[in-house]
Amino acid sequence: MSDHLLEVENLSIRFHSRGKIVDAVKGVSWHLDRGETLAILGESGSGKSVSASAVMGLIDTPPGEIVSGSIRFDGREILNLPSRAQRELNGSRIAMIFQDTLAALNPVYTVGHQISESMTAHGVQPDQARTKALDLLTRVGIPEPERRYHDYPHQFSGGQRQRIMIAAAIAMEPDVLIADEPTSALDVTVQAEILKLLKSLQAETGMGILMITHDLGVVAAVADRVVVMQQG
């Protein structure tokens, strides 16, 4: 049994593209503990998002191929889980917020529906999910949550959409929150607010945060430890 909440060991991932093999991640190892913020820092294409996506089972195979490695969550091997087991884990125990909120949020559903769905998919009753979704919108700083619950993603600013994504991600109070460049598209003031919100939520819940970024300022603001990646 591992003492770490999440542990990645000797992970290697490659992609097959147009007859070529691209080694995106090469023997990477890192770990994350409860209540800790680990930053994976690196330039674009360094493999940081790919290694984190493997934790969520989000590597498309093919063209991706997990060549070697182990990913243990709470002492349990989760690499190459069956799809049903991965779905049960994603959202409830491990959650992710993405950089591109307009791509991640569905434009044809209200934000309230999407936050509630993140709970009903894991067995929460619809009435309870709606009540909690309104509470989450309040917690992440969305004004007039009763009214805005029925609005669509395009009716919110970039910073507000990021808050909504955070609300959906923390709805089931996950043990691990993976934040993939969550502030890179935001101005400095909003970026600071989002980082403060994440740390505040972490203090409340004790979740471990995996922060993927290329921004040293973000690392300085939130990270307890740093892993630097370059060329996989």
Side-chain angles (χ1 to χ4, degrees), residues 162-175:
Q162 196 61 272
R163 289 171 182 270
I164 290 161
M165 279 201 62
I166 292 169
I170 66 168
M172 295 297 294
E173 299 183 2
D175 298 282

Side-chain angles (χ1 to χ4, degrees), residues 170-185:
I170 66 168
M172 295 297 294
E173 299 183 2
D175 298 282
V176 172
L177 179 65
I178 301 172
D180 189 357
E181 300 274 12
T183 61
S184 63

Side-chain angles (χ1 to χ4, degrees), residues 102-208:
L102 279 178
L105 292 169
N106 193 320
V108 302
Y109 291 109
T110 65
V111 298
H113 172 86
Q114 294 183 65
I115 297 171
S116 296
E117 187 181 38
S118 67
M119 291 176 274
T120 56
H122 293 283
V124 178
Q125 293 300 310
D127 288 349
Q128 292 177 304
R130 185 183 187 280
T131 299
K132 188 166 184 181
L134 289 169
D135 177 60
L136 287 164
L137 286 171
T138 301
R139 286 174 68 190
V140 300
I142 299 297
E144 301 180 83
E146 286 275 1
R147 180 176 67 84
R148 310 269 4 223
Y149 181 95
H150 302 285
D151 286 344
Y152 293 85
H154 72 272
Q155 294 175 277
F156 294 85
S157 69
Q160 288 176 322
R161 285 195 298 270
Q162 196 61 272
R163 289 171 182 270
I164 290 161
M165 279 201 62
I166 292 169
I170 66 168
M172 295 297 294
E173 299 183 2
D175 298 282
V176 172
L177 179 65
I178 301 172
D180 189 357
E181 300 274 12
T183 61
S184 63
L186 307 176
D187 66 47
V188 175
T189 303
V190 178
Q191 173 178 291
E193 291 174 356
I194 295 297
L195 294 177
K196 183 179 179 180
L197 171 63
L198 287 173
K199 294 302 285 185
S200 173
L201 293 169
Q202 182 182 46
E204 287 179 31
T205 64
M207 64 184 173

Side-chain angles (χ1 to χ4, degrees), residues 77-98:
E77 179 63 52
I78 63 169
L79 187 62
N80 297 321
L81 277 180
S83 57
R84 181 175 179 178
Q86 187 74 61
R87 286 196 301 270
E88 291 175 354
L89 187 66
N90 289 355
S92 61
R93 304 290 308 278
I94 304 174
M96 192 168 188
I97 56 177
F98 299 91

Side-chain angles (χ1 to χ4, degrees), residues 2 11 23 25 31-32 41 43 47 60 74 78-79 105 118 130 139 156 159 168 170 174 179 181 190 209 218 228:
S2 172
L11 181 66
D23 291 309
V25 176
H31 68 266
L32 175 68
L41 176 69
E43 62 199 356
D60 288 331
D74 213 9
I78 63 169
L79 187 62
L105 292 169
S118 67
R130 185 183 187 280
R139 286 174 68 190
F156 294 85
I170 66 168
E181 300 274 12
V190 178
I209 295 178
V218 170
V228 179

